[in-house]
mmCIF file of all heavy atoms in Angstrom:
data_model
loop_
_atom_site.group_PDB
_atom_site.id
_atom_site.type_symbol
_atom_site.label_atom_id
_atom_site.label_comp_id
_atom_site.label_asym_id
_atom_site.label_seq_id
_atom_site.Cartn_x
_atom_site.Cartn_y
_atom_site.Cartn_z
ATOM 1 N N GLY A 12 11.015 -29.794 79.315
ATOM 2 C CA GLY A 12 10.213 -30.751 80.132
ATOM 3 C C GLY A 12 8.943 -31.187 79.647
ATOM 4 O O GLY A 12 8.113 -31.885 80.249
ATOM 5 N N ASP A 13 8.708 -30.776 78.451
ATOM 6 C CA ASP A 13 7.432 -31.230 77.810
ATOM 7 C C ASP A 13 7.392 -32.663 77.568
ATOM 8 O O ASP A 13 8.362 -33.353 77.353
ATOM 9 C CB ASP A 13 7.212 -30.469 76.464
ATOM 10 C CG ASP A 13 6.945 -28.918 76.634
ATOM 11 O OD1 ASP A 13 6.878 -28.562 77.740
ATOM 12 O OD2 ASP A 13 6.932 -28.241 75.575
ATOM 13 N N ILE A 14 6.082 -33.231 77.642
ATOM 14 C CA ILE A 14 5.866 -34.721 77.384
ATOM 15 C C ILE A 14 5.119 -34.923 76.196
ATOM 16 O O ILE A 14 4.111 -34.254 75.989
ATOM 17 C CB ILE A 14 5.189 -35.316 78.681
ATOM 18 C CG1 ILE A 14 6.106 -35.047 79.975
ATOM 19 C CG2 ILE A 14 4.914 -36.756 78.480
ATOM 20 C CD1 ILE A 14 5.315 -35.381 81.223
ATOM 21 N N ILE A 15 5.511 -35.874 75.407
ATOM 22 C CA ILE A 15 4.880 -36.328 74.173
ATOM 23 C C ILE A 15 4.330 -37.747 74.603
ATOM 24 O O ILE A 15 5.005 -38.606 75.018
ATOM 25 C CB ILE A 15 5.841 -36.407 73.044
ATOM 26 C CG1 ILE A 15 6.338 -34.980 72.640
ATOM 27 C CG2 ILE A 15 5.115 -37.020 71.824
ATOM 28 C CD1 ILE A 15 7.465 -34.995 71.661
ATOM 29 N N TRP A 16 2.953 -37.938 74.238
ATOM 30 C CA TRP A 16 2.394 -39.215 74.479
ATOM 31 C C TRP A 16 2.146 -39.970 73.194
ATOM 32 O O TRP A 16 1.610 -39.424 72.178
ATOM 33 C CB TRP A 16 0.959 -38.990 75.250
ATOM 34 C CG TRP A 16 1.143 -38.433 76.602
ATOM 35 C CD1 TRP A 16 1.225 -37.213 76.867
ATOM 36 C CD2 TRP A 16 1.463 -39.322 77.736
ATOM 37 N NE1 TRP A 16 1.328 -37.128 78.329
ATOM 38 C CE2 TRP A 16 1.556 -38.345 78.912
ATOM 39 C CE3 TRP A 16 1.591 -40.557 77.990
ATOM 40 C CZ2 TRP A 16 1.824 -38.711 80.074
ATOM 41 C CZ3 TRP A 16 1.791 -41.120 79.289
ATOM 42 C CH2 TRP A 16 1.871 -40.037 80.251
ATOM 43 N N LEU A 17 2.605 -41.207 73.069
ATOM 44 C CA LEU A 17 2.478 -42.044 71.939
ATOM 45 C C LEU A 17 2.109 -43.448 72.447
ATOM 46 O O LEU A 17 2.374 -43.886 73.471
ATOM 47 C CB LEU A 17 3.831 -42.172 71.146
ATOM 48 C CG LEU A 17 4.516 -40.881 70.650
ATOM 49 C CD1 LEU A 17 5.954 -41.103 70.270
ATOM 50 C CD2 LEU A 17 3.584 -40.332 69.580
ATOM 51 N N LYS A 18 1.362 -44.046 71.629
ATOM 52 C CA LYS A 18 0.688 -45.519 72.043
ATOM 53 C C LYS A 18 1.586 -46.541 71.543
ATOM 54 O O LYS A 18 2.114 -46.635 70.421
ATOM 55 C CB LYS A 18 -0.616 -45.572 71.374
ATOM 56 C CG LYS A 18 -1.732 -44.597 72.134
ATOM 57 C CD LYS A 18 -3.005 -45.108 71.596
ATOM 58 C CE LYS A 18 -4.150 -44.126 72.397
ATOM 59 N NZ LYS A 18 -5.538 -44.443 71.957
ATOM 60 N N ASN A 19 1.852 -47.594 72.491
ATOM 61 C CA ASN A 19 2.484 -48.852 72.005
ATOM 62 C C ASN A 19 1.512 -49.742 71.222
ATOM 63 O O ASN A 19 0.240 -49.357 71.089
ATOM 64 C CB ASN A 19 3.203 -49.531 73.115
ATOM 65 C CG ASN A 19 2.116 -50.053 74.114
ATOM 66 O OD1 ASN A 19 0.983 -50.119 74.030
ATOM 67 N ND2 ASN A 19 2.695 -50.344 75.366
ATOM 68 N N LYS A 20 1.844 -50.919 70.856
ATOM 69 C CA LYS A 20 1.027 -51.742 70.015
ATOM 70 C C LYS A 20 -0.089 -52.310 70.895
ATOM 71 O O LYS A 20 -1.004 -52.970 70.264
ATOM 72 C CB LYS A 20 1.897 -52.874 69.349
ATOM 73 C CG LYS A 20 2.739 -52.259 68.174
ATOM 74 C CD LYS A 20 3.434 -53.359 67.458
ATOM 75 C CE LYS A 20 4.101 -52.812 66.157
ATOM 76 N NZ LYS A 20 4.877 -53.841 65.448
ATOM 77 N N GLN A 21 -0.004 -52.417 72.153
ATOM 78 C CA GLN A 21 -1.088 -52.871 73.055
ATOM 79 C C GLN A 21 -2.098 -51.782 73.242
ATOM 80 O O GLN A 21 -3.030 -52.005 73.962
ATOM 81 C CB GLN A 21 -0.632 -53.404 74.347
ATOM 82 C CG GLN A 21 0.113 -54.817 74.200
ATOM 83 C CD GLN A 21 1.362 -54.771 73.358
ATOM 84 O OE1 GLN A 21 2.281 -53.902 73.589
ATOM 85 N NE2 GLN A 21 1.399 -55.706 72.493
ATOM 86 N N GLY A 22 -1.849 -50.584 72.755
ATOM 87 C CA GLY A 22 -2.848 -49.503 72.955
ATOM 88 C C GLY A 22 -2.583 -48.600 74.176
ATOM 89 O O GLY A 22 -3.332 -47.706 74.376
ATOM 90 N N TYR A 23 -1.439 -48.835 74.936
ATOM 91 C CA TYR A 23 -1.233 -48.028 76.122
ATOM 92 C C TYR A 23 -0.379 -46.769 75.782
ATOM 93 O O TYR A 23 0.557 -46.913 74.888
ATOM 94 C CB TYR A 23 -0.481 -48.900 77.179
ATOM 95 C CG TYR A 23 -1.274 -49.880 77.791
ATOM 96 C CD1 TYR A 23 -1.220 -51.172 77.281
ATOM 97 C CD2 TYR A 23 -2.165 -49.623 78.800
ATOM 98 C CE1 TYR A 23 -2.081 -52.272 77.916
ATOM 99 C CE2 TYR A 23 -3.055 -50.567 79.373
ATOM 100 C CZ TYR A 23 -3.023 -51.956 78.916
ATOM 101 O OH TYR A 23 -3.819 -52.810 79.467
ATOM 102 N N GLU A 24 -0.624 -45.751 76.429
ATOM 103 C CA GLU A 24 0.077 -44.551 76.191
ATOM 104 C C GLU A 24 1.424 -44.516 76.781
ATOM 105 O O GLU A 24 1.470 -44.684 78.140
ATOM 106 C CB GLU A 24 -0.651 -43.166 76.705
ATOM 107 C CG GLU A 24 -1.916 -43.062 75.645
ATOM 108 C CD GLU A 24 -2.557 -41.669 75.975
ATOM 109 O OE1 GLU A 24 -3.255 -41.541 77.065
ATOM 110 O OE2 GLU A 24 -2.431 -40.639 75.264
ATOM 111 N N ILE A 25 2.414 -44.173 76.122
ATOM 112 C CA ILE A 25 3.835 -44.148 76.689
ATOM 113 C C ILE A 25 4.321 -42.745 76.626
ATOM 114 O O ILE A 25 4.302 -42.130 75.666
ATOM 115 C CB ILE A 25 4.717 -45.151 75.903
ATOM 116 C CG1 ILE A 25 4.142 -46.529 75.785
ATOM 117 C CG2 ILE A 25 6.162 -45.121 76.422
ATOM 118 C CD1 ILE A 25 3.995 -47.189 77.144
ATOM 119 N N PRO A 26 4.897 -42.218 77.853
ATOM 120 C CA PRO A 26 5.409 -40.801 77.891
ATOM 121 C C PRO A 26 6.772 -40.794 77.329
ATOM 122 O O PRO A 26 7.612 -41.508 77.672
ATOM 123 C CB PRO A 26 5.309 -40.577 79.386
ATOM 124 C CG PRO A 26 5.535 -41.807 80.002
ATOM 125 C CD PRO A 26 4.877 -42.900 79.113
ATOM 126 N N VAL A 27 6.990 -39.756 76.568
ATOM 127 C CA VAL A 27 8.325 -39.368 76.028
ATOM 128 C C VAL A 27 8.674 -38.006 76.771
ATOM 129 O O VAL A 27 8.134 -37.027 76.405
ATOM 130 C CB VAL A 27 8.330 -39.195 74.443
ATOM 131 C CG1 VAL A 27 9.793 -38.785 74.010
ATOM 132 C CG2 VAL A 27 7.858 -40.488 73.744
ATOM 133 N N ILE A 28 9.547 -38.034 77.781
ATOM 134 C CA ILE A 28 9.711 -37.022 78.644
ATOM 135 C C ILE A 28 11.038 -36.272 78.308
ATOM 136 O O ILE A 28 12.035 -36.885 78.142
ATOM 137 C CB ILE A 28 9.769 -37.538 80.093
ATOM 138 C CG1 ILE A 28 8.562 -38.426 80.463
ATOM 139 C CG2 ILE A 28 9.997 -36.363 81.146
ATOM 140 C CD1 ILE A 28 8.772 -39.220 81.700
ATOM 141 N N SER A 29 10.944 -35.097 77.974
ATOM 142 C CA SER A 29 12.105 -34.273 77.772
ATOM 143 C C SER A 29 12.776 -33.684 79.011
ATOM 144 O O SER A 29 12.106 -33.497 80.040
ATOM 145 C CB SER A 29 11.832 -33.141 76.754
ATOM 146 O OG SER A 29 10.876 -32.131 77.278
ATOM 147 N N ILE A 30 13.967 -33.389 79.014
ATOM 148 C CA ILE A 30 14.687 -32.823 80.115
ATOM 149 C C ILE A 30 14.330 -31.427 80.446
ATOM 150 O O ILE A 30 14.215 -30.646 79.429
ATOM 151 C CB ILE A 30 16.257 -32.972 79.971
ATOM 152 C CG1 ILE A 30 16.736 -34.287 79.704
ATOM 153 C CG2 ILE A 30 17.015 -32.212 81.028
ATOM 154 C CD1 ILE A 30 16.662 -35.248 80.951
ATOM 155 N N ARG A 31 13.866 -31.245 81.681
ATOM 156 C CA ARG A 31 13.452 -29.916 82.001
ATOM 157 C C ARG A 31 14.518 -28.859 82.133
ATOM 158 O O ARG A 31 14.598 -27.749 81.641
ATOM 159 C CB ARG A 31 12.518 -29.775 83.198
ATOM 160 C CG ARG A 31 11.691 -28.591 83.417
ATOM 161 C CD ARG A 31 10.716 -28.619 84.565
ATOM 162 N NE ARG A 31 9.752 -29.692 84.430
ATOM 163 C CZ ARG A 31 8.624 -29.549 83.518
ATOM 164 N NH1 ARG A 31 8.580 -28.468 82.849
ATOM 165 N NH2 ARG A 31 7.899 -30.630 83.409
ATOM 166 N N TYR A 32 15.633 -29.206 82.931
ATOM 167 C CA TYR A 32 16.817 -28.345 83.123
ATOM 168 C C TYR A 32 17.976 -29.249 83.261
ATOM 169 O O TYR A 32 17.811 -30.554 83.361
ATOM 170 C CB TYR A 32 16.652 -27.585 84.393
ATOM 171 C CG TYR A 32 15.544 -26.532 84.465
ATOM 172 C CD1 TYR A 32 14.406 -26.785 85.131
ATOM 173 C CD2 TYR A 32 15.627 -25.300 83.813
ATOM 174 C CE1 TYR A 32 13.269 -25.867 85.206
ATOM 175 C CE2 TYR A 32 14.633 -24.310 83.748
ATOM 176 C CZ TYR A 32 13.446 -24.700 84.553
ATOM 177 O OH TYR A 32 12.484 -23.746 84.552
ATOM 178 N N THR A 33 19.100 -28.669 83.035
ATOM 179 C CA THR A 33 20.366 -29.499 83.222
ATOM 180 C C THR A 33 21.410 -28.820 84.103
ATOM 181 O O THR A 33 21.629 -27.633 83.959
ATOM 182 C CB THR A 33 20.993 -29.654 81.801
ATOM 183 O OG1 THR A 33 20.119 -30.301 80.876
ATOM 184 C CG2 THR A 33 22.212 -30.508 81.930
ATOM 185 N N LEU A 34 21.975 -29.593 85.081
ATOM 186 C CA LEU A 34 23.124 -29.043 85.720
ATOM 187 C C LEU A 34 24.318 -29.124 84.889
ATOM 188 O O LEU A 34 24.765 -30.070 84.430
ATOM 189 C CB LEU A 34 23.207 -29.920 87.038
ATOM 190 C CG LEU A 34 22.162 -30.097 87.968
ATOM 191 C CD1 LEU A 34 22.434 -30.933 89.164
ATOM 192 C CD2 LEU A 34 21.641 -28.693 88.458
ATOM 193 N N TRP A 35 24.873 -27.875 84.712
ATOM 194 C CA TRP A 35 25.928 -27.815 83.735
ATOM 195 C C TRP A 35 26.815 -26.597 84.092
ATOM 196 O O TRP A 35 26.441 -25.468 84.319
ATOM 197 C CB TRP A 35 25.561 -27.670 82.354
ATOM 198 C CG TRP A 35 26.440 -27.874 81.342
ATOM 199 C CD1 TRP A 35 27.774 -27.430 81.139
ATOM 200 C CD2 TRP A 35 26.196 -28.818 80.168
ATOM 201 N NE1 TRP A 35 28.366 -28.050 80.017
ATOM 202 C CE2 TRP A 35 27.399 -28.807 79.330
ATOM 203 C CE3 TRP A 35 25.182 -29.496 79.600
ATOM 204 C CZ2 TRP A 35 27.551 -29.601 78.140
ATOM 205 C CZ3 TRP A 35 25.304 -30.191 78.542
ATOM 206 C CH2 TRP A 35 26.511 -30.279 77.844
ATOM 207 N N ASN A 36 28.234 -26.828 84.326
ATOM 208 C CA ASN A 36 29.092 -25.751 84.563
ATOM 209 C C ASN A 36 29.572 -24.952 83.491
ATOM 210 O O ASN A 36 30.331 -25.551 82.636
ATOM 211 C CB ASN A 36 30.250 -26.274 85.431
ATOM 212 C CG ASN A 36 31.115 -25.177 86.023
ATOM 213 O OD1 ASN A 36 31.180 -24.103 85.438
ATOM 214 N ND2 ASN A 36 31.756 -25.495 87.163
ATOM 215 N N PHE A 37 29.190 -23.860 83.255
ATOM 216 C CA PHE A 37 29.584 -22.921 82.123
ATOM 217 C C PHE A 37 30.524 -21.731 82.603
ATOM 218 O O PHE A 37 30.617 -20.660 82.014
ATOM 219 C CB PHE A 37 28.416 -22.296 81.385
ATOM 220 C CG PHE A 37 27.695 -23.321 80.514
ATOM 221 C CD1 PHE A 37 26.468 -23.882 81.034
ATOM 222 C CD2 PHE A 37 28.124 -23.700 79.368
ATOM 223 C CE1 PHE A 37 25.770 -24.789 80.227
ATOM 224 C CE2 PHE A 37 27.454 -24.622 78.542
ATOM 225 C CZ PHE A 37 26.248 -25.174 79.066
ATOM 226 N N GLY A 38 31.121 -22.013 83.769
ATOM 227 C CA GLY A 38 32.071 -20.885 84.245
ATOM 228 C C GLY A 38 31.274 -19.734 84.958
ATOM 229 O O GLY A 38 30.654 -19.921 85.901
ATOM 230 N N ASN A 39 31.528 -18.607 84.336
ATOM 231 C CA ASN A 39 30.954 -17.345 84.905
ATOM 232 C C ASN A 39 29.550 -17.021 84.393
ATOM 233 O O ASN A 39 29.109 -15.917 84.659
ATOM 234 C CB ASN A 39 31.973 -16.118 84.689
ATOM 235 C CG ASN A 39 32.168 -15.894 83.158
ATOM 236 O OD1 ASN A 39 31.613 -16.477 82.247
ATOM 237 N ND2 ASN A 39 32.855 -14.807 83.061
ATOM 238 N N VAL A 40 28.853 -17.945 83.711
ATOM 239 C CA VAL A 40 27.579 -17.661 83.211
ATOM 240 C C VAL A 40 26.680 -18.930 83.401
ATOM 241 O O VAL A 40 27.109 -20.006 83.575
ATOM 242 C CB VAL A 40 27.492 -17.242 81.728
ATOM 243 C CG1 VAL A 40 28.316 -15.960 81.553
ATOM 244 C CG2 VAL A 40 28.006 -18.429 80.926
ATOM 245 N N ASN A 41 25.365 -18.699 83.356
ATOM 246 C CA ASN A 41 24.329 -19.760 83.359
ATOM 247 C C ASN A 41 23.472 -19.516 82.019
ATOM 248 O O ASN A 41 23.426 -18.296 81.573
ATOM 249 C CB ASN A 41 23.454 -19.694 84.506
ATOM 250 C CG ASN A 41 24.053 -20.099 85.845
ATOM 251 O OD1 ASN A 41 24.612 -21.235 85.775
ATOM 252 N ND2 ASN A 41 23.908 -19.440 86.936
ATOM 253 N N HIS A 42 22.998 -20.501 81.535
ATOM 254 C CA HIS A 42 22.116 -20.408 80.290
ATOM 255 C C HIS A 42 20.760 -20.591 80.711
ATOM 256 O O HIS A 42 20.316 -20.871 81.897
ATOM 257 C CB HIS A 42 22.598 -21.435 79.272
ATOM 258 C CG HIS A 42 23.990 -21.194 78.716
ATOM 259 N ND1 HIS A 42 24.538 -22.130 77.900
ATOM 260 C CD2 HIS A 42 24.768 -20.151 78.780
ATOM 261 C CE1 HIS A 42 25.697 -21.663 77.630
ATOM 262 N NE2 HIS A 42 25.899 -20.481 78.121
ATOM 263 N N GLU A 43 19.782 -20.325 79.803
ATOM 264 C CA GLU A 43 18.294 -20.276 80.136
ATOM 265 C C GLU A 43 17.945 -21.545 80.898
ATOM 266 O O GLU A 43 17.161 -21.462 81.894
ATOM 267 C CB GLU A 43 17.540 -20.162 78.873
ATOM 268 C CG GLU A 43 16.035 -20.081 79.159
ATOM 269 C CD GLU A 43 15.338 -20.082 77.892
ATOM 270 O OE1 GLU A 43 15.801 -20.003 76.857
ATOM 271 O OE2 GLU A 43 13.992 -19.951 78.064
ATOM 272 N N ARG A 44 18.291 -22.684 80.519
ATOM 273 C CA ARG A 44 17.910 -23.963 81.202
ATOM 274 C C ARG A 44 19.090 -24.807 81.540
ATOM 275 O O ARG A 44 18.860 -25.952 81.840
ATOM 276 C CB ARG A 44 16.943 -24.636 80.125
ATOM 277 C CG ARG A 44 15.804 -23.928 79.536
ATOM 278 C CD ARG A 44 14.773 -24.752 78.861
ATOM 279 N NE ARG A 44 13.896 -25.352 79.864
ATOM 280 C CZ ARG A 44 12.844 -24.739 80.465
ATOM 281 N NH1 ARG A 44 12.592 -23.476 80.112
ATOM 282 N NH2 ARG A 44 12.130 -25.374 81.329
ATOM 283 N N GLU A 45 20.232 -24.226 81.666
ATOM 284 C CA GLU A 45 21.442 -24.992 82.066
ATOM 285 C C GLU A 45 22.157 -24.026 83.052
ATOM 286 O O GLU A 45 22.445 -22.974 82.759
ATOM 287 C CB GLU A 45 22.248 -25.320 80.905
ATOM 288 C CG GLU A 45 21.596 -26.108 79.818
ATOM 289 C CD GLU A 45 22.387 -26.132 78.500
ATOM 290 O OE1 GLU A 45 22.860 -25.126 78.059
ATOM 291 O OE2 GLU A 45 22.495 -27.349 77.922
ATOM 292 N N GLY A 46 22.665 -24.782 84.086
ATOM 293 C CA GLY A 46 23.508 -23.936 84.999
ATOM 294 C C GLY A 46 23.854 -24.647 86.267
ATOM 295 O O GLY A 46 23.727 -25.873 86.465
ATOM 296 N N THR A 47 24.032 -23.811 87.382
ATOM 297 C CA THR A 47 24.469 -24.371 88.693
ATOM 298 C C THR A 47 23.249 -24.991 89.450
ATOM 299 O O THR A 47 22.058 -24.695 89.076
ATOM 300 C CB THR A 47 24.980 -23.263 89.473
ATOM 301 O OG1 THR A 47 23.978 -22.299 89.868
ATOM 302 C CG2 THR A 47 26.231 -22.583 88.924
ATOM 303 N N PRO A 48 23.566 -25.788 90.395
ATOM 304 C CA PRO A 48 22.432 -26.394 91.264
ATOM 305 C C PRO A 48 21.649 -25.299 91.911
ATOM 306 O O PRO A 48 20.392 -25.377 91.909
ATOM 307 C CB PRO A 48 23.227 -27.199 92.283
ATOM 308 C CG PRO A 48 24.479 -27.586 91.723
ATOM 309 C CD PRO A 48 24.857 -26.448 90.726
ATOM 310 N N ALA A 49 22.224 -24.245 92.409
ATOM 311 C CA ALA A 49 21.448 -23.182 92.923
ATOM 312 C C ALA A 49 20.491 -22.419 91.911
ATOM 313 O O ALA A 49 19.312 -22.090 92.147
ATOM 314 C CB ALA A 49 22.287 -22.145 93.555
ATOM 315 N N TYR A 50 21.052 -22.191 90.870
ATOM 316 C CA TYR A 50 20.291 -21.513 89.693
ATOM 317 C C TYR A 50 19.204 -22.449 89.289
ATOM 318 O O TYR A 50 18.037 -21.843 89.147
ATOM 319 C CB TYR A 50 21.244 -21.329 88.562
ATOM 320 C CG TYR A 50 20.730 -20.745 87.412
ATOM 321 C CD1 TYR A 50 20.209 -19.442 87.305
ATOM 322 C CD2 TYR A 50 20.512 -21.520 86.181
ATOM 323 C CE1 TYR A 50 19.597 -18.895 86.078
ATOM 324 C CE2 TYR A 50 19.970 -21.047 85.023
ATOM 325 C CZ TYR A 50 19.535 -19.674 85.024
ATOM 326 O OH TYR A 50 18.890 -19.209 83.768
ATOM 327 N N ILE A 51 19.370 -23.745 89.039
ATOM 328 C CA ILE A 51 18.353 -24.593 88.561
ATOM 329 C C ILE A 51 17.260 -24.804 89.546
ATOM 330 O O ILE A 51 16.050 -24.817 89.303
ATOM 331 C CB ILE A 51 18.899 -25.922 88.004
ATOM 332 C CG1 ILE A 51 19.868 -25.652 86.802
ATOM 333 C CG2 ILE A 51 17.843 -26.890 87.580
ATOM 334 C CD1 ILE A 51 19.268 -25.015 85.635
ATOM 335 N N ALA A 52 17.677 -24.792 90.900
ATOM 336 C CA ALA A 52 16.712 -25.013 92.010
ATOM 337 C C ALA A 52 15.739 -23.697 92.053
ATOM 338 O O ALA A 52 14.604 -23.870 92.261
ATOM 339 C CB ALA A 52 17.467 -25.194 93.288
ATOM 340 N N GLN A 53 16.394 -22.694 91.812
ATOM 341 C CA GLN A 53 15.585 -21.412 91.779
ATOM 342 C C GLN A 53 14.567 -21.455 90.624
ATOM 343 O O GLN A 53 13.479 -20.943 90.774
ATOM 344 C CB GLN A 53 16.537 -20.138 91.734
ATOM 345 C CG GLN A 53 17.262 -19.947 92.984
ATOM 346 C CD GLN A 53 18.456 -18.865 92.755
ATOM 347 O OE1 GLN A 53 18.439 -18.018 91.927
ATOM 348 N NE2 GLN A 53 19.489 -19.052 93.620
ATOM 349 N N LYS A 54 14.896 -21.799 89.439
ATOM 350 C CA LYS A 54 14.180 -21.900 88.364
ATOM 351 C C LYS A 54 12.964 -22.951 88.615
ATOM 352 O O LYS A 54 11.775 -22.705 88.285
ATOM 353 C CB LYS A 54 14.839 -22.338 87.082
ATOM 354 C CG LYS A 54 16.013 -21.447 86.762
ATOM 355 C CD LYS A 54 15.657 -20.315 85.835
ATOM 356 C CE LYS A 54 15.493 -20.606 84.450
ATOM 357 N NZ LYS A 54 15.246 -19.408 83.567
ATOM 358 N N LEU A 55 13.283 -24.068 89.161
ATOM 359 C CA LEU A 55 12.283 -25.008 89.340
ATOM 360 C C LEU A 55 11.353 -24.634 90.503
ATOM 361 O O LEU A 55 10.148 -24.796 90.406
ATOM 362 C CB LEU A 55 13.036 -26.378 89.832
ATOM 363 C CG LEU A 55 12.189 -27.637 89.595
ATOM 364 C CD1 LEU A 55 11.963 -27.859 88.236
ATOM 365 C CD2 LEU A 55 12.967 -28.895 90.219
ATOM 366 N N THR A 56 11.791 -24.014 91.629
ATOM 367 C CA THR A 56 10.958 -23.433 92.544
ATOM 368 C C THR A 56 9.844 -22.370 92.051
ATOM 369 O O THR A 56 8.812 -22.303 92.478
ATOM 370 C CB THR A 56 11.840 -22.817 93.681
ATOM 371 O OG1 THR A 56 12.699 -23.877 94.253
ATOM 372 C CG2 THR A 56 10.996 -22.298 94.842
ATOM 373 N N ALA A 57 10.417 -21.602 91.182
ATOM 374 C CA ALA A 57 9.576 -20.574 90.554
ATOM 375 C C ALA A 57 8.581 -21.159 89.600
ATOM 376 O O ALA A 57 7.597 -20.382 89.276
ATOM 377 C CB ALA A 57 10.463 -19.454 89.870
ATOM 378 N N ASP A 58 8.780 -22.377 89.265
ATOM 379 C CA ASP A 58 7.746 -22.978 88.282
ATOM 380 C C ASP A 58 6.626 -23.642 89.068
ATOM 381 O O ASP A 58 6.781 -24.733 89.638
ATOM 382 C CB ASP A 58 8.546 -24.017 87.420
ATOM 383 C CG ASP A 58 7.628 -24.715 86.465
ATOM 384 O OD1 ASP A 58 6.429 -24.436 86.495
ATOM 385 O OD2 ASP A 58 8.211 -25.520 85.587
#
């Protein structure tokens, strides 16, 4: 979810936004930043 700021040729800062979490079905496990809607919602709420 980190954001990188870079300037365009007019001098304005443009955000490059990375994905914070991903909804992804891995069967019987979740990964650190990928998993079920309930799992990712819990991670986001705790942030």
Side-chain angles (χ1 to χ4, degrees):
D13 290 350
I14 299 172
I15 297 168
W16 292 94
L17 299 170
K18 289 187 177 182
N19 67 13
K20 288 187 174 180
Q21 281 67 45
Y23 290 97
E24 289 189 288
I25 303 300
V27 180
I28 308 163
S29 64
I30 299 294
R31 191 172 302 284
Y32 298 103
T33 305
L34 301 181
W35 199 310
N36 188 332
F37 287 100
N39 62 355
V40 297
N41 290 309
H42 294 169
E43 180 184 0
R44 309 194 76 85
E45 303 168 312
T47 65
Y50 173 74
I51 298 303
Q53 291 166 24
K54 300 276 279 189
L55 203 61
T56 300
D58 183 352

